Amino acid sequence: MRPTPRKAITASALAVTALAALSLPGTPAAAAPPAAPVAAACTPTQVVANGGFESGTSPWTQSSTRVITNRAGQTAHGGSSFAWLGGVGSTHTDTLSQSVTVPSGCSSATLTFWLHIDTAETTSSIAYDKLTAKIGSTTLATYSNLDKNTGYAQKSFDVSAFAGQTVTLAFTGTEDSSLQSSFVVDDVALDTSGGTTPPADSTRTPAAPSYTVDLSSDTSGTVWSGHESATFTNASSTALSEVYLRLWDNYHGTCSAMPIKVSNVTGGTAGALSVGCTALKIDLPGPLAQGQSATIGFDLGITVPSGADRFGHDGAFSFIGNALPVLAVKDGAGWHLDPYTNNGESFYSLAADFKVTLDHPSTLLVPATGTSVDTPGSSGRTVTTATASKVRDFAWAAGPFSKISGTSTAGTRVNVYSVSAISSADAQSMLTTAKSAVDAHASRFGAYPYGELDAVIDNNYWFGGMEYPGFVLDLVSTTALTHEIGHQWWYGIVGDDEYTSPWLDEAFTDYATDLALNKTGTNCWNNVSWASSAEKITNSMAYWDAHSSRYSTVVYGYGKCALHDLRRLIGDTAMTKLLKDYATAHWYGVSTTAEFKAAAQAATSTDLTSFWSTHRIDG
């Protein structure tokens, strides 16, 4: 994004229309976002409450008052009480369950319980009566009358894969029509221990997402409804029991009137919304092992609010950025569920494939991420099918735009869509700028891979400009448009966690913009003046949201000046090679500050330790 003085107009000042609602289970009343989850240090603990059944029945849920007992006929492993499932001698089912939270940060989580089985069954080959032990949707073990024993035996299971999750621990005992079997459970415990890192590895998952979307609009292009599905693979060695969808644009409404509505989920179970209703947990039917794939699907409703925003409509022209739900990323730090920021970007997603079909009135043009093909729809309507490979998001617009097109010298198709207030001369100027910018960036960082490039121009955007893969929103501004197109590389191709490390896309893009416009940044570092000792180029959006007046100055201005200083230190040739090689090495991947610092150090014999310190680049 390219901020401008219009930033003083906050999103809350935009008029938000009444929003059509679809039902979603688990919608909370409050919209306040909780803190994003972070990796926790391990504090060894035992998380099952009242596992010896000596403190009454709470917090266990039992199918009848006879399950947790101290009645005659069986004895406890310890104390005086126990759980007795079965023992009736006729067709019967007993259940016993408790919700437990397996904490993050520990390398080991172990479930144990003591089990005694006696039975009147005489067979040595048929399991007539059974006890099943489960955690979440995973069956840990099934025992039967064939497993009878004279005393208690301890059972033990590794449940480390459920770290960071709240799941139900459950026992179910069933008997057939005759001859009793008693399953007696006691001293249930779930112990965590080990190091100070999460049990999950650092692999980013769910990987290789593929989204298929079919939406139809109303006559104005402000209300869309249809269906979306997402197929993905678990790349981590840690089993994946849930995923999260980011419903980013719910920031622009309230939890009771959400612009983005998900319902009728398939392939998983919708949980509660969180983080200001921008995160939706989907529990998978069972843990997804490394290399396994799954698909979730859901009905989707989108209502575009009023306002010339990255998600909003300016009169007849709708801009629909961040509206499609996308999968959150999980790595060694856990799930990245940061709050939406209106000061910059919170977005963090892995490269994905999209096929999006948009059915709309033929009076509306629909520029979109990827390459689009229009076909006739029903009477007076057009179906625009946009396909995009290896992109991190998908955005589109809808309205009676004026459109002009051209092809850059290197062969990239560029389309400029203008609202009615933009003159033909300004539109032509933006087309010339876009063609020049896409080729300039491609020559430095690698060929543009996304087919065509759409630029949607409106001078009413309060935010200046905004980038999406193959699709940008901008004012009439040579500098701003060159900047947004630079984001096709720095965020689009070379991804990053925009909430944690905004400098990795904004500073790099502003530096690339200077180069494309033949600006050398001479002496720009001489104008640096830090507001406090805590102010650093590499601070996260959590810091900048608390110090918003300094965000643009430091992340964009000081950030690009630091890169100009690095170029002067290691030399033009080395810097050119560094960024080209770094982009190639992280093509469709994710960049981190530590990785860039290591690559920069490898590109020069000069010790850069003092450079990073002077320029306040930590990580």
Side-chain angles (χ1 to χ4, degrees):
M1 187 159 71
R2 180 76 180 184
T4 73
R6 296 168 187 261
K7 200 113 192 167
I9 306 172
T10 65
S12 62
L14 300 174
V16 180
T17 59
L19 305 174
L22 301 179
S23 62
L24 178 73
T27 302
V38 297
C42 178
T43 301
T45 188
Q46 198 287 106
V47 301
V48 171
N50 191 23
F53 310 107
E54 303 299 323
S55 302
T57 61
S58 180
W60 293 97
T61 299
Q62 54 182 343
S63 56
S64 73
T65 56
R66 67 185 298 278
V67 176
I68 296 177
T69 185
N70 60 3
R71 70 183 189 272
Q74 298 292 341
T75 58
H77 173 261
S80 60
S81 296
F82 46 89
W84 186 352
L85 296 90
V88 176
S90 60
T91 302
H92 183 76
T93 298
D94 283 323
T95 61
L96 179 70
S97 64
Q98 178 181 144
S99 177
V100 295
T101 299
V102 186
S104 299
C106 297
S107 60
S108 175
T110 303
L111 173 69
T112 58
F113 58 89
W114 291 83
L115 176 63
H116 166 62
I117 303 173
D118 70 38
T119 183
E121 300 283 359
T122 59
T123 178
S124 60
S125 60
I126 301 175
Y128 288 114
D129 310 317
K130 298 178 182 179
L131 175 77
T132 300
K134 298 179 69 174
I135 185 166
S137 59
T138 299
T139 299
L140 299 173
T142 300
Y143 307 96
S144 74
N145 50 280
L146 300 177
D147 300 305
K148 63 183 179 182
N149 53 349
T150 55
Y152 278 90
Q154 189 180 43
K155 309 299 181 181
S156 180
F157 303 92
D158 181 359
V159 292
S160 302
F162 295 90
Q165 301 180 41
T166 298
V167 290
T168 299
L169 172 64
F171 300 90
T172 302
T174 59
E175 294 181 276
D176 71 350
S177 58
S178 64
L179 301 177
Q180 74 85 25
S181 290
S182 295
F183 302 97
V184 188
V185 177
D186 204 359
D187 294 333
V188 184
L190 200 164
D191 294 285
T192 59
S193 62
T196 58
T197 57
D201 62 27
S202 60
T203 303
R204 298 178 181 97
T205 199
S210 179
Y211 300 94
T212 302
V213 184
D214 291 280
L215 296 175
S216 180
S217 82
D218 66 353
T219 56
S220 67
T222 59
V223 178
W224 299 76
S225 62
H227 189 78
E228 177 176 345
S229 65
T231 299
F232 53 89
T233 300
N234 181 21
S236 171
S237 61
T238 302
L240 197 62
S241 295
E242 77 285 328
V243 295
Y244 284 85
L245 290 173
R246 296 314 307 259
L247 282 55
W248 286 115
D249 283 335
N250 279 342
Y251 169 87
H252 298 277
T254 66
C255 286
S256 59
M258 294 180 291
I260 309 300
K261 300 288 186 166
V262 167
S263 61
N264 299 324
V265 174
T266 59
T269 303
L273 284 158
S274 60
V275 199
C277 294
T278 67
L280 174 63
K281 183 180 180 183
I282 306 289
D283 289 309
L284 301 178
L288 197 66
Q290 186 174 31
Q292 290 185 331
S293 298
T295 300
I296 58 173
F298 47 89
D299 291 338
L300 176 63
I302 298 169
T303 302
V304 183
S306 177
D309 207 335
R310 53 193 179 190
F311 177 62
H313 68 86
D314 183 9
F317 302 93
S318 294
F319 317 108
I320 311 171
N322 306 111
L324 293 184
V326 294
L327 292 162
V329 178
K330 183 183 183 184
D331 56 22
W335 286 103
H336 289 260
L337 301 178
D338 297 302
Y340 185 101
T341 176
N342 210 39
N343 196 34
E345 288 84 41
S346 302
F347 315 127
Y348 178 29
S349 54
L350 303 183
D353 295 337
F354 284 82
K355 182 178 181 181
V356 179
T357 302
L358 303 169
D359 184 328
H360 57 90
S362 299
T363 53
L364 306 180
L365 297 184
V366 181
T369 291
T371 301
S372 296
V373 176
D374 288 343
T375 56
S378 58
S379 178
R381 297 182 69 87
T382 296
V383 177
T384 298
T385 301
T387 56
S389 178
K390 305 298 184 185
V391 296
R392 299 180 193 279
D393 205 342
F394 185 98
W396 74 100
F401 295 102
S402 297
K403 176 186 177 183
I404 59 173
S405 301
T407 302
S408 74
T409 301
T412 297
R413 180 73 171 176
V414 178
N415 306 304
V416 170
Y417 294 81
S418 303
V419 303
S420 53
I422 302 298
S423 70
S424 58
D426 281 343
Q428 188 61 54
S429 174
M430 291 299 92
L431 178 60
T432 300
T433 294
K435 291 191 294 183
S436 175
V438 72
D439 283 355
H441 296 314
S443 69
R444 289 185 174 91
F445 311 123
Y448 179 75
Y450 296 140
E452 63 188 19
L453 172 64
D454 292 342
V456 180
I457 309 299
D458 185 340
N459 277 332
N460 289 332
Y461 295 139
W462 67 269
F463 50 87
M466 181 64 197
E467 70 279 0
Y468 296 98
F471 177 96
V472 299
L473 307 174
D474 218 328
L475 310 170
V476 176
S477 168
T478 297
T479 300
L481 185 56
T482 302
H483 174 96
E484 302 312 333
I485 292 174
H487 274 303
Q488 299 303 307
W489 285 263
W490 304 105
Y491 144 77
I493 297 167
V494 181
D496 65 286
D497 179 345
E498 293 184 301
Y499 190 86
T500 300
S501 303
W503 90 287
L504 286 172
D505 53 279
E506 296 298 358
F508 280 59
T509 297
D510 237 23
Y511 174 77
T513 301
D514 274 5
L515 298 182
L517 298 177
N518 299 313
K519 298 178 181 179
T520 63
T522 303
N523 297 323
C524 67
W525 188 259
N526 297 346
N527 297 320
V528 168
S529 176
W530 301 106
S532 72
S533 60
E535 190 171 80
K536 299 174 182 177
I537 289 173
T538 47
N539 282 347
S540 74
M541 287 307 306
Y543 178 89
W544 299 119
D545 280 347
H547 303 83
S548 58
S549 65
R550 296 287 292 169
Y551 169 61
S552 178
T553 297
V554 177
V555 173
Y556 291 71
Y558 296 0
K560 77 170 179 182
C561 287
L563 294 173
H564 279 301
D565 252 18
L566 180 61
R567 174 175 54 82
R568 282 185 280 269
L569 178 63
I570 70 175
D572 289 356
T573 301
M575 186 68 168
T576 298
K577 186 176 188 303
L578 165 62
L579 291 182
K580 181 70 172 288
D581 289 349
Y582 190 76
T584 299
H586 292 79
W587 205 260
Y588 301 137
V590 174
S591 170
T592 67
T593 298
E595 288 172 332
F596 177 71
K597 288 171 69 174
Q601 185 59 77
T604 180
S605 59
T606 302
D607 186 347
L608 297 179
T609 302
S610 63
F611 177 89
W612 306 127
S613 177
T614 299
H615 294 76
R616 299 197 182 190
I617 296 173
D618 291 351

